[in-house]
Amino acid sequence: MVTGHGCPMWVPLVENSEASSPGADYFIKQEIDRLMSTDPLIDTIVLACTHYPLLYDKIIRYVPDGVKVVSQGSIIADSLVDYLRRHPGMDARCQRGGEVEYLTTENAGKFSEMATIFLGRPVNASQITL
């Protein structure tokens, strides 16, 4: 059985640079408790949002023993590795050592700030108009 559960406060925690704050613990524990109360037999939680892996260390603190927490990032990365292993011609076409330029139609400063959090390294984006 699959149980869906939204955590509407988690994205704002990340986007407002509060993911590591003590206040984040309150909202994370609250949602984990709500999820587990809907189905105490849950054995795996899939973090199905790009923001949630940034809360992973706090999430696992409140998940009951025996419940596995899976981040979608590792699933996607493993799937890509498997695909490239099965399609060596495609792997050969992939460029390595390229450069990345970040362009956004939104606020470049906010984009850069969020991208830096997600990527764990400085990102400088430029705003463009389409």
Side-chain angles (χ1 to χ4, degrees):
M1 178 159 88
V2 175
T3 302
H5 181 80
C7 301
M9 289 301 297
W10 290 12
V11 169
L13 289 171
V14 171
E15 292 187 349
N16 290 292
S17 301
E18 294 292 328
S20 59
S21 73
D25 289 77
Y26 171 81
F27 293 105
I28 291 168
K29 182 180 183 325
Q30 183 180 55
E31 294 302 340
I32 294 296
D33 289 348
R34 285 180 183 158
L35 172 64
M36 297 309 297
S37 71
T38 62
D39 183 358
L41 298 177
I42 289 172
D43 61 359
T44 304
I45 297 173
V46 178
L47 303 180
C49 173
T50 57
H51 291 62
Y52 294 174
L54 296 172
L55 300 169
Y56 181 83
D57 290 340
K58 287 188 180 272
I59 292 169
I60 60 172
R61 272 189 223 155
Y62 300 107
V63 170
D65 290 338
V67 176
K68 183 177 178 181
V69 178
V70 179
S71 171
Q72 87 287 358
S74 60
I75 295 169
I76 293 167
D78 291 346
S79 178
L80 177 58
V81 167
D82 178 59
Y83 176 85
L84 293 173
R85 185 176 30 252
R86 290 181 293 114
H87 299 88
M90 182 61 75
D91 185 39
R93 293 174 56 194
C94 292
Q95 295 181 0
R96 271 105 172 139
E99 293 183 22
V100 177
E101 182 178 8
Y102 296 93
L103 305 174
T104 180
T105 56
E106 300 297 326
N107 179 293
K110 183 69 173 171
F111 180 95
S112 296
E113 182 183 328
M114 289 292 98
T116 296
I117 292 170
F118 278 87
L119 297 176
R121 59 184 165 82
V123 170
N124 293 309
S126 299
Q127 185 176 14
I128 61 168
T129 302
L130 298 179

PDB file of all heavy atoms in Angstrom, residues 100-104 108 111-112 115 119 121-128:
ATOM      1  N   VAL A 100      29.308  25.207 -16.753  1.00  0.00           N
ATOM      2  CA  VAL A 100      27.885  25.417 -16.549  1.00  0.00           C
ATOM      3  C   VAL A 100      27.633  26.910 -16.421  1.00  0.00           C
ATOM      4  O   VAL A 100      28.359  27.619 -15.721  1.00  0.00           O
ATOM      5  CB  VAL A 100      27.401  24.704 -15.262  1.00  0.00           C
ATOM      6  CG1 VAL A 100      25.929  24.992 -15.007  1.00  0.00           C
ATOM      7  CG2 VAL A 100      27.643  23.213 -15.353  1.00  0.00           C
ATOM      8  N   GLU A 101      26.591  27.366 -17.100  1.00  0.00           N
ATOM      9  CA  GLU A 101      26.151  28.744 -16.959  1.00  0.00           C
ATOM     10  C   GLU A 101      24.705  28.699 -16.480  1.00  0.00           C
ATOM     11  O   GLU A 101      23.869  28.008 -17.061  1.00  0.00           O
ATOM     12  CB  GLU A 101      26.229  29.476 -18.310  1.00  0.00           C
ATOM     13  CG  GLU A 101      25.827  30.921 -18.235  1.00  0.00           C
ATOM     14  CD  GLU A 101      25.955  31.632 -19.573  1.00  0.00           C
ATOM     15  OE1 GLU A 101      26.216  30.974 -20.601  1.00  0.00           O
ATOM     16  OE2 GLU A 101      25.763  32.857 -19.588  1.00  0.00           O
ATOM     17  N   TYR A 102      24.420  29.413 -15.409  1.00  0.00           N
ATOM     18  CA  TYR A 102      23.089  29.413 -14.827  1.00  0.00           C
ATOM     19  C   TYR A 102      22.352  30.676 -15.253  1.00  0.00           C
ATOM     20  O   TYR A 102      22.805  31.790 -14.985  1.00  0.00           O
ATOM     21  CB  TYR A 102      23.165  29.347 -13.298  1.00  0.00           C
ATOM     22  CG  TYR A 102      23.787  28.065 -12.803  1.00  0.00           C
ATOM     23  CD1 TYR A 102      25.158  27.992 -12.550  1.00  0.00           C
ATOM     24  CD2 TYR A 102      23.014  26.940 -12.610  1.00  0.00           C
ATOM     25  CE1 TYR A 102      25.728  26.813 -12.109  1.00  0.00           C
ATOM     26  CE2 TYR A 102      23.581  25.756 -12.172  1.00  0.00           C
ATOM     27  CZ  TYR A 102      24.942  25.697 -11.920  1.00  0.00           C
ATOM     28  OH  TYR A 102      25.505  24.532 -11.491  1.00  0.00           O
ATOM     29  N   LEU A 103      21.215  30.482 -15.902  1.00  0.00           N
ATOM     30  CA  LEU A 103      20.385  31.589 -16.365  1.00  0.00           C
ATOM     31  C   LEU A 103      18.989  31.410 -15.779  1.00  0.00           C
ATOM     32  O   LEU A 103      18.463  30.298 -15.736  1.00  0.00           O
ATOM     33  CB  LEU A 103      20.299  31.600 -17.893  1.00  0.00           C
ATOM     34  CG  LEU A 103      21.629  31.623 -18.646  1.00  0.00           C
ATOM     35  CD1 LEU A 103      21.397  31.474 -20.142  1.00  0.00           C
ATOM     36  CD2 LEU A 103      22.394  32.906 -18.350  1.00  0.00           C
ATOM     37  N   THR A 104      18.385  32.507 -15.354  1.00  0.00           N
ATOM     38  CA  THR A 104      17.046  32.436 -14.775  1.00  0.00           C
ATOM     39  C   THR A 104      16.237  33.650 -15.216  1.00  0.00           C
ATOM     40  O   THR A 104      16.790  34.727 -15.428  1.00  0.00           O
ATOM     41  CB  THR A 104      17.102  32.369 -13.235  1.00  0.00           C
ATOM     42  OG1 THR A 104      15.767  32.309 -12.724  1.00  0.00           O
ATOM     43  CG2 THR A 104      17.830  33.555 -12.636  1.00  0.00           C
ATOM     44  N   ALA A 108      17.997  36.706  -9.963  1.00  0.00           N
ATOM     45  CA  ALA A 108      19.260  35.974 -10.048  1.00  0.00           C
ATOM     46  C   ALA A 108      19.893  35.779  -8.673  1.00  0.00           C
ATOM     47  O   ALA A 108      20.498  34.729  -8.406  1.00  0.00           O
ATOM     48  CB  ALA A 108      20.223  36.690 -10.985  1.00  0.00           C
ATOM     49  N   PHE A 111      17.987  32.975  -6.929  1.00  0.00           N
ATOM     50  CA  PHE A 111      18.329  31.722  -7.600  1.00  0.00           C
ATOM     51  C   PHE A 111      19.716  31.263  -7.165  1.00  0.00           C
ATOM     52  O   PHE A 111      19.920  30.097  -6.825  1.00  0.00           O
ATOM     53  CB  PHE A 111      18.277  31.894  -9.120  1.00  0.00           C
ATOM     54  CG  PHE A 111      18.618  30.632  -9.871  1.00  0.00           C
ATOM     55  CD1 PHE A 111      17.619  29.787 -10.308  1.00  0.00           C
ATOM     56  CD2 PHE A 111      19.946  30.296 -10.126  1.00  0.00           C
ATOM     57  CE1 PHE A 111      17.938  28.621 -10.997  1.00  0.00           C
ATOM     58  CE2 PHE A 111      20.265  29.140 -10.804  1.00  0.00           C
ATOM     59  CZ  PHE A 111      19.256  28.293 -11.242  1.00  0.00           C
ATOM     60  N   SER A 112      20.683  32.174  -7.183  1.00  0.00           N
ATOM     61  CA  SER A 112      22.060  31.832  -6.816  1.00  0.00           C
ATOM     62  C   SER A 112      22.130  31.318  -5.382  1.00  0.00           C
ATOM     63  O   SER A 112      22.817  30.338  -5.087  1.00  0.00           O
ATOM     64  CB  SER A 112      22.973  33.050  -6.976  1.00  0.00           C
ATOM     65  OG  SER A 112      23.042  33.440  -8.328  1.00  0.00           O
ATOM     66  N   ALA A 115      20.495  27.789  -5.324  1.00  0.00           N
ATOM     67  CA  ALA A 115      21.334  26.826  -6.037  1.00  0.00           C
ATOM     68  C   ALA A 115      22.589  26.499  -5.228  1.00  0.00           C
ATOM     69  O   ALA A 115      23.043  25.349  -5.211  1.00  0.00           O
ATOM     70  CB  ALA A 115      21.701  27.361  -7.414  1.00  0.00           C
ATOM     71  N   LEU A 119      23.487  22.727  -4.353  1.00  0.00           N
ATOM     72  CA  LEU A 119      24.679  22.139  -4.953  1.00  0.00           C
ATOM     73  C   LEU A 119      25.869  22.083  -3.994  1.00  0.00           C
ATOM     74  O   LEU A 119      26.854  21.400  -4.272  1.00  0.00           O
ATOM     75  CB  LEU A 119      25.067  22.905  -6.219  1.00  0.00           C
ATOM     76  CG  LEU A 119      24.016  22.862  -7.332  1.00  0.00           C
ATOM     77  CD1 LEU A 119      24.457  23.732  -8.508  1.00  0.00           C
ATOM     78  CD2 LEU A 119      23.765  21.424  -7.792  1.00  0.00           C
ATOM     79  N   ARG A 121      28.012  24.373  -3.411  1.00  0.00           N
ATOM     80  CA  ARG A 121      29.142  25.153  -3.926  1.00  0.00           C
ATOM     81  C   ARG A 121      28.576  26.457  -4.477  1.00  0.00           C
ATOM     82  O   ARG A 121      27.401  26.539  -4.815  1.00  0.00           O
ATOM     83  CB  ARG A 121      29.919  24.408  -4.993  1.00  0.00           C
ATOM     84  CG  ARG A 121      29.123  23.997  -6.208  1.00  0.00           C
ATOM     85  CD  ARG A 121      29.993  23.180  -7.157  1.00  0.00           C
ATOM     86  NE  ARG A 121      29.217  22.484  -8.137  1.00  0.00           N
ATOM     87  CZ  ARG A 121      28.761  23.022  -9.264  1.00  0.00           C
ATOM     88  NH1 ARG A 121      29.018  24.267  -9.553  1.00  0.00           N
ATOM     89  NH2 ARG A 121      28.052  22.309 -10.108  1.00  0.00           N
ATOM     90  N   PRO A 122      29.425  27.493  -4.562  1.00  0.00           N
ATOM     91  CA  PRO A 122      28.924  28.794  -5.025  1.00  0.00           C
ATOM     92  C   PRO A 122      28.357  28.742  -6.445  1.00  0.00           C
ATOM     93  O   PRO A 122      28.934  28.118  -7.332  1.00  0.00           O
ATOM     94  CB  PRO A 122      30.155  29.699  -4.981  1.00  0.00           C
ATOM     95  CG  PRO A 122      31.106  29.021  -4.062  1.00  0.00           C
ATOM     96  CD  PRO A 122      30.823  27.554  -4.186  1.00  0.00           C
ATOM     97  N   VAL A 123      27.225  29.389  -6.624  1.00  0.00           N
ATOM     98  CA  VAL A 123      26.590  29.501  -7.934  1.00  0.00           C
ATOM     99  C   VAL A 123      26.291  30.962  -8.183  1.00  0.00           C
ATOM    100  O   VAL A 123      25.747  31.649  -7.315  1.00  0.00           O
ATOM    101  CB  VAL A 123      25.265  28.697  -7.981  1.00  0.00           C
ATOM    102  CG1 VAL A 123      24.478  28.988  -9.245  1.00  0.00           C
ATOM    103  CG2 VAL A 123      25.538  27.211  -7.852  1.00  0.00           C
ATOM    104  N   ASN A 124      26.660  31.433  -9.356  1.00  0.00           N
ATOM    105  CA  ASN A 124      26.367  32.803  -9.755  1.00  0.00           C
ATOM    106  C   ASN A 124      25.495  32.758 -11.004  1.00  0.00           C
ATOM    107  O   ASN A 124      25.962  32.357 -12.074  1.00  0.00           O
ATOM    108  CB  ASN A 124      27.651  33.587 -10.030  1.00  0.00           C
ATOM    109  CG  ASN A 124      28.449  33.801  -8.756  1.00  0.00           C
ATOM    110  OD1 ASN A 124      27.889  34.262  -7.777  1.00  0.00           O
ATOM    111  ND2 ASN A 124      29.716  33.453  -8.769  1.00  0.00           N
ATOM    112  N   ALA A 125      24.266  33.144 -10.870  1.00  0.00           N
ATOM    113  CA  ALA A 125      23.326  33.109 -11.975  1.00  0.00           C
ATOM    114  C   ALA A 125      23.154  34.496 -12.564  1.00  0.00           C
ATOM    115  O   ALA A 125      23.425  35.500 -11.912  1.00  0.00           O
ATOM    116  CB  ALA A 125      21.963  32.599 -11.495  1.00  0.00           C
ATOM    117  N   SER A 126      22.699  34.519 -13.797  1.00  0.00           N
ATOM    118  CA  SER A 126      22.379  35.776 -14.478  1.00  0.00           C
ATOM    119  C   SER A 126      20.906  35.772 -14.829  1.00  0.00           C
ATOM    120  O   SER A 126      20.360  34.739 -15.227  1.00  0.00           O
ATOM    121  CB  SER A 126      23.189  35.913 -15.775  1.00  0.00           C
ATOM    122  OG  SER A 126      24.567  35.921 -15.485  1.00  0.00           O
ATOM    123  N   GLN A 127      20.274  36.919 -14.695  1.00  0.00           N
ATOM    124  CA  GLN A 127      18.865  37.032 -15.044  1.00  0.00           C
ATOM    125  C   GLN A 127      18.752  37.352 -16.533  1.00  0.00           C
ATOM    126  O   GLN A 127      19.510  38.161 -17.071  1.00  0.00           O
ATOM    127  CB  GLN A 127      18.188  38.123 -14.240  1.00  0.00           C
ATOM    128  CG  GLN A 127      16.695  38.202 -14.487  1.00  0.00           C
ATOM    129  CD  GLN A 127      16.015  39.232 -13.594  1.00  0.00           C
ATOM    130  OE1 GLN A 127      16.672  40.060 -12.980  1.00  0.00           O
ATOM    131  NE2 GLN A 127      14.711  39.143 -13.519  1.00  0.00           N
ATOM    132  N   ILE A 128      17.814  36.670 -17.192  1.00  0.00           N
ATOM    133  CA  ILE A 128      17.568  36.916 -18.615  1.00  0.00           C
ATOM    134  C   ILE A 128      16.088  37.165 -18.828  1.00  0.00           C
ATOM    135  O   ILE A 128      15.257  36.843 -17.980  1.00  0.00           O
ATOM    136  CB  ILE A 128      18.022  35.728 -19.496  1.00  0.00           C
ATOM    137  CG1 ILE A 128      17.248  34.455 -19.133  1.00  0.00           C
ATOM    138  CG2 ILE A 128      19.528  35.507 -19.383  1.00  0.00           C
ATOM    139  CD1 ILE A 128      17.424  33.328 -20.131  1.00  0.00           C
TER     140      ILE A 128
END
